[in-house]
Amino acid sequence: MIKQHSPLRRGGAIAFMLLLFHLPVQAQSGRAKGDQYTMQINVSGTVVANGSCHFATTSGNDVNYGDVGYSTLNGTTVLEGSFKKTLANQLQCSGDTAGHPQLKLDTNDGNSLAYQGTALLPVKTSSGAQMTSLGIRLLVNDKPQDVGEWFDIQVTSPPTLAAELVQTGDGKDFVNGDQFTANATLTMAFN
């Protein structure tokens, strides 16, 4: 005997079978499109510098110009002679010195004296007043360099540095017998 299935039963069986096949997939995914899940990850370590440099100087850190002469003729005051001293800047480095080595001569108080487009190291009198007619120009391989600004160097052949005393004004603040000073810090860094 052949039984005829009703269309309702046949459709119900197909729908049931489709439901069986789709249920496990939905149960596994269980998330909507665009859902995000995050996890906090902590990273730690130690930075190890295996290279170092220092200034090797045997002559000390002072630059002494001695007696600085000037003359006044017809109301014009000028320095007599030239006053340029080499700075001790020999570097001794060990280990890994790769990177971007730079030097900077910086004033200890952050001030500078502008002269002919270059920032100079200001000079103070014995009373502590800044002179307007005298400054110290940094020379890097005989070229003017702004104080307070980084400049590139090669560790294996550092540049020649010099401090040159220059007249920056009319000389009216020159006082016979007065002593002058200037202070700065030479810094080397891998920037």
Side-chain angles (χ1 to χ4, degrees):
M1 173 173 182
I2 299 176
K3 283 191 171 179
Q4 216 176 14
H5 294 287
S6 69
L8 185 60
R9 277 189 178 191
R10 187 176 290 175
I14 292 174
F16 178 73
M17 288 177 69
L18 286 174
L19 185 62
L20 282 177
F21 288 117
H22 288 290
L23 274 180
V25 172
Q26 287 178 345
Q28 286 177 359
S29 64
R31 56 187 177 261
K33 184 177 181 181
D35 282 354
Q36 295 182 5
Y37 299 93
T38 62
M39 174 174 57
Q40 182 70 32
I41 297 174
N42 297 314
V43 177
S44 62
T46 304
V47 176
V48 178
N50 61 358
S52 68
C53 294
H54 68 277
F55 292 104
T57 178
T58 57
S59 61
N61 299 331
D62 295 333
V63 175
N64 189 344
Y65 290 102
D67 292 335
V68 175
Y70 67 94
S71 63
T72 303
L73 182 64
N74 298 329
T76 303
T77 303
V78 294
L79 288 177
E80 292 180 339
S82 85
F83 302 92
K84 184 168 104 173
K85 299 282 186 170
T86 301
L87 298 177
N89 72 322
Q90 185 181 13
L91 292 171
Q92 289 185 344
C93 298
S94 63
D96 181 11
T97 56
H100 187 200
Q102 293 184 309
L103 283 176
K104 174 173 70 166
L105 183 70
D106 210 359
T107 62
N108 293 340
D109 59 6
N111 292 328
S112 63
L113 177 65
Y115 177 68
Q116 295 181 344
T118 304
L120 306 182
L121 183 63
V123 172
K124 295 185 178 182
T125 65
S126 58
S127 67
Q130 182 172 321
M131 295 183 75
T132 59
S133 295
L134 202 58
I136 298 174
R137 177 171 36 212
L138 173 63
L139 298 173
V140 178
N141 294 329
D142 286 327
K143 294 180 183 171
Q145 170 67 42
D146 288 331
V147 297
E149 296 291 327
W150 291 103
F151 56 94
D152 297 339
I153 65 164
Q154 291 183 3
V155 174
T156 55
S157 61
T160 300
L161 301 180
E164 181 181 31
L165 192 62
V166 293
Q167 184 171 343
T168 58
D170 58 14
K172 291 184 180 180
D173 56 354
F174 292 170
V175 176
N176 191 32
D178 196 10
Q179 295 184 351
F180 64 87
T181 60
N183 293 303
T185 303
L186 183 62
T187 304
M188 191 266 190
F190 291 92
N191 291 327

